Amino acid sequence: MPKFFYKRKLDEIEEKARPVHINSYRQLVWTKFKSHKLALFGAVVLIGVAFFTLLGPLFVEVGYEDMDFSNLFSPPLTEGHPFGTDELGHDVLVRVMYGGRISLFVGFASAVITTLIGTIVGLLSGFYGGIVDRLLMRFVDVMLSIPMFPILITLTLVFGSGIMNIILVLTVFGWMGVSRLVRGLVLSIRETEYVMSARAMGVRNGRIILRHVLPNVIPIVIVSATLNMSYAILAESSLSYLGLGIQPPMPSWGNMLQRAMNYILGTTTGTNPWWLTVFPGFFIFITVLNVNFLGDGLRDALDPKFVSES
Amino acid sequence: MKASPMVEIKNLKKWFPMKSGFKSKSNLKAVDGVDLHIYGGETLGLVGESGCGKTTIGRTLIKIYEPTDGEFLYRGGDSSEGGVDIFSLSESKMRPFRREIQMVFQDPYASLNPRITVHDIISEGLRVHSMGKSREERKSMIAGILEKVGLRPEYMYRYPHEFSGGQRQRIGIARSMILNPGLVICDEPVSALDVSVQAQVINLLEDLKHDFGLTYLFIAHDLAVVKHICDRISVMYLGRIVETAETDQLFDNPLHPYTSGLLSSIPVPNPHMRKIGKREIVKGDIPSPVDPPETCRFVKRCPRAFDRCCKESPSLREVSDGHFVSCFLYD
């Protein structure tokens, strides 16, 4: 027991600190997040989109496969079809709702998994260095040099196309960027004096990584995770285009866009069905944009140094 | 006090291997055969210009850098006679000494993790070394040490960015002192602070030393600070100790040409006190520590070098009581 140990009314100390500082970290983060108006807006919009896609289909009787043959290419606000119909008489509104489930799920799941894998690999590689670093980084190089599409085609031939396969492919080929990013940051954090101090006191490596290194890479990781989500939503659409993604008649925002491309210059009937691209495109746009707003707000809220101007 | 030293460092070497393309492997010899001894309760100053290896010594002693060669005998408060060679210990056996030997870092802005509170920064060491039975008890220990270093206890809930440089350095000092160490390595603890704050932190370090019975290895390049706080001083040049003596003796009677050059570089405020013509200016820059030749390290800049200095390397010899110098002039 140190010689200077003496009892002091902790309550009294906490009373003095309470007005500003005693808030738990979680409260602090929440307070700051709330004051970030754009992030709050982003969160609200995303929750709205989620409700729209998850609960929306419960209120309509038409399924995404149902066709209305009397209304092909009917424009928005046609009776019974607020967003219009496509070349087969599918209701665009219904397909946007069902497609959103798939796009959001693919985007979210692959963003989370790639970020997780990339962060873990980057932390280990950067922190331990030496042979661990060399092995992991050469593996990253190998992964980056594998052409994605031939592998994809093979995989689809073997396993068939499906949501899980898309997520699998997007994560297997998507984590390397994050890992390089994190590794670079860890290399500099590893040499800081606060990490040295922890080492000098005998803190174990695992704890140093979790306590000192990880919190300092989190802001960058969050931003890259939001970018990954946008990327995954868009990548799914290009995979669908190659026939490797979500297959019609099942809709996703991506494959709706891709199919609409065939008619963008006008149809046999002479009209330009803009609603086929605008609606799924709009949803991709607001989702990606608001995910980025949300990520921005999270990054600021998690940084104790950041004090919002408001 | 002149009994057996508490810390004995023998022939400490720290070489950093360098890869240089197709050439054969060379070594950056940051520390190359250093002998130091520190008596219990004293402050040993370690001075030298930038790049001479002072910081490397500090970091090697707490095994942030793995030593290339040498012994570090430590006779702590309750360990048996003869001491322990810290360098030969495994990481698990080293653990108690990671509490016993503490370090105060140079840069108060880089030495505190910006993402955790002061409480978490200071309590980390307590948790590692199982000090304090409960969270409440640790909290009151932290409150105590914060008051001791001159900060308000309620500051424990704040984050490092809310403090000034001097306050941050006090937090760093609290982090080390709460572990009740025997030896504290101060790695230029005040060089990043402005002058008025330097004095406060120096006084704090002296008070703590007195109250807790500490021993300091005080690494610095500011001679005024060193003269004020140190009992004995070792002067370092390019990875080696060139002279060790008691503070007064070193300042009054510097033997090594490098030491006298270093001392005459101290500006004298009063023009009438300046010793005109007696200044020995050391010219040139510190040479590269990459594979230095086996001569006297100082020979290229030494005003009093003679032919022997270019042929062999002098070793540290005791020329008078407690005054060690590494120079052929005194052979």
Side-chain angles (χ1 to χ4, degrees), chain B residues 249-266:
Chain B
Q249 181 133 49
L250 190 96
F251 274 83
D252 295 344
N253 181 25
L255 295 180
H256 198 281
Y258 179 64
T259 315
S260 42
L262 203 62
L263 294 180
S264 66
S265 72
I266 304 175

Side-chain angles (χ1 to χ4, degrees), chain B residues 125-138:
Chain B
L126 293 178
R127 294 166 63 110
V128 169
H129 297 290
S130 322
M131 295 164 76
K133 289 178 208 72
S134 62
R135 198 180 152 74
E136 293 301 303
E137 189 178 333
R138 283 196 292 270

Side-chain angles (χ1 to χ4, degrees), chain A residues 6 14 21 201-202 212 302, chain B residues 95 124 129 147 157 162:
Chain A
Y6 60 97
E14 287 179 6
H21 292 287
M201 284 195 294
H212 296 289
L302 289 172
Chain B
R95 213 143 241 275
E124 185 155 53
H129 297 290
E147 283 206 328
Y157 298 105
E162 298 175 61

Side-chain angles (χ1 to χ4, degrees), chain A residues 19-268:
Chain A
V20 206
H21 292 287
I22 195 123
N23 293 330
S24 72
Y25 186 60
R26 228 175 277 159
Q27 279 171 289
L28 207 70
V29 168
W30 175 234
T31 319
K32 278 201 274 187
F33 184 76
K34 270 194 303 191
S35 67
H36 197 297
K37 293 286 174 280
L38 210 54
L40 213 57
F41 173 77
V44 170
V45 171
L46 286 178
I47 290 169
V49 172
F51 270 107
F52 173 72
T53 59
L54 291 176
L55 303 181
L58 304 178
F59 296 100
V60 288
E61 284 160 16
V62 187
Y64 61 85
E65 277 179 299
D66 294 340
M67 293 179 253
D68 181 355
F69 293 112
S70 57
N71 282 309
L72 305 183
F73 289 122
S74 33
L77 303 176
T78 309
E79 201 187 348
H81 304 293
F83 284 10
T85 60
D86 66 7
E87 76 278 15
L88 296 172
H90 293 133
D91 184 87
V92 174
L93 172 62
V94 172
R95 287 178 71 80
V96 165
M97 291 194 288
Y98 279 104
R101 291 181 172 183
I102 288 165
S103 288
L104 287 180
F105 179 67
V106 168
F108 186 73
S110 55
V112 168
I113 301 172
T114 49
T115 308
L116 219 62
I117 298 177
T119 307
I120 292 172
V121 170
L123 280 173
L124 295 178
S125 184
F127 188 80
Y128 287 102
I131 188 77
V132 178
D133 182 36
R134 258 175 281 163
L135 284 176
L136 286 174
M137 283 303 115
R138 289 307 76 77
F139 181 57
V140 166
D141 292 343
V142 169
M143 289 304 294
L144 282 170
S145 60
I146 293 177
M148 182 165 145
F149 282 102
I151 300 273
L152 255 175
I153 293 166
T154 320
L155 280 179
T156 346
L157 285 175
V158 178
F159 298 109
S161 61
I163 300 181
M164 287 309 160
N165 286 342
I166 289 190
I167 294 176
L168 184 77
V169 166
L170 287 178
T171 49
V172 166
F173 291 98
W175 56 270
M176 292 83 76
V178 185
S179 76
R180 280 191 164 174
L181 186 75
V182 170
R183 172 180 173 268
L185 283 169
V186 173
L187 282 180
S188 71
I189 293 170
R190 187 178 70 164
E191 299 300 326
T192 56
E193 288 189 340
Y194 57 83
V195 170
M196 273 188 203
S197 153
R199 278 200 188 150
M201 284 195 294
V203 182
R204 285 172 215 281
N205 282 340
R207 197 177 150 82
I208 293 181
I209 293 179
L210 291 179
R211 192 88 177 139
H212 296 289
V213 182
L214 184 61
N216 286 289
V217 299
I218 285 265
I220 306 293
V221 165
I222 284 179
V223 173
S224 92
T226 59
L227 293 176
N228 272 344
M229 177 155 178
S230 334
Y231 170 77
I233 289 175
L234 299 174
E236 183 270 320
S237 67
S238 44
L239 293 180
S240 302
Y241 186 63
L242 291 172
L244 307 168
I246 308 300
Q247 294 307 305
M250 195 189 259
S252 78
W253 290 342
N255 76 10
M256 290 173 74
L257 266 185
Q258 296 297 351
R259 279 175 75 186
M261 300 248 296
N262 300 330
Y263 307 102
I264 200 106
L265 294 175
T267 63
T268 41

Side-chain angles (χ1 to χ4, degrees), chain A residues 3-6 8 10 14 16 21 25 193-194 196-197 201-202 211-212 215-216 219 302 304, chain B residues 59 95 98 105 107 110 113 115 120 124 129 136 139 141 147 154 157-159 161-162 175 212:
Chain A
K3 290 159 233 155
F4 48 81
F5 173 76
Y6 60 97
R8 173 159 178 132
L10 286 173
E14 287 179 6
K16 279 189 197 159
H21 292 287
Y25 186 60
E193 288 189 340
Y194 57 83
M196 273 188 203
S197 153
M201 284 195 294
R211 192 88 177 139
H212 296 289
N216 286 289
L302 289 172
Chain B
R59 290 181 179 174
R95 213 143 241 275
R98 291 217 177 271
F105 288 88
D107 182 352
N113 183 348
R115 296 198 166 250
D120 294 350
E124 185 155 53
H129 297 290
E136 293 301 303
K139 251 190 204 172
M141 288 166 84
E147 283 206 328
E154 62 264 29
Y157 298 105
R158 297 195 180 182
Y159 287 91
H161 71 269
E162 298 175 61
R175 168 174 62 188
F212 298 160

Side-chain angles (χ1 to χ4, degrees), chain B residues 101-119:
Chain B
I101 303 168
Q102 282 298 314
M103 186 146 177
V104 174
F105 288 88
Q106 176 175 8
D107 182 352
Y109 290 89
S111 62
L112 306 177
N113 183 348
R115 296 198 166 250
I116 57 180
T117 58
V118 171
H119 170 273

